[in-house]
Amino acid sequence: MKTTQTFSVLFWLKQSNIKNGKAPLYACITVNDNRAELFLKRKVLISEFRNAILMIYY
């Protein structure tokens, strides 16, 4: 019998805490349907984060 394992990491900015154009960076790590959310103790310029996302998708 074959078992399937899954792993994913998602990053997002918490839009409700924007100050000086920067927002806190969060991550969600999921392993086999077990999920953990983390605050990465970093603030990122919203424009730079969006530019990085666009570069990944295009």
Side-chain angles (χ1 to χ4, degrees), residues 14-30:
K14 190 166 185 176
Q15 298 288 328
S16 62
N17 292 349
I18 297 172
K19 292 182 184 173
N20 298 326
K22 293 183 177 183
L25 182 62
Y26 283 77
C28 177
I29 300 172
T30 307

Side-chain angles (χ1 to χ4, degrees), residues 1 3 14 19 34 39 42 45-46:
M1 187 165 122
T3 61
K14 190 166 185 176
K19 292 182 184 173
N34 294 318
F39 171 51
R42 297 277 187 261
L45 283 172
I46 295 170

Side-chain angles (χ1 to χ4, degrees), residues 3-23:
T3 61
T4 303
Q5 297 180 342
T6 60
F7 175 80
S8 69
V9 179
L10 301 172
F11 296 94
W12 76 92
L13 300 178
K14 190 166 185 176
Q15 298 288 328
S16 62
N17 292 349
I18 297 172
K19 292 182 184 173
N20 298 326
K22 293 183 177 183

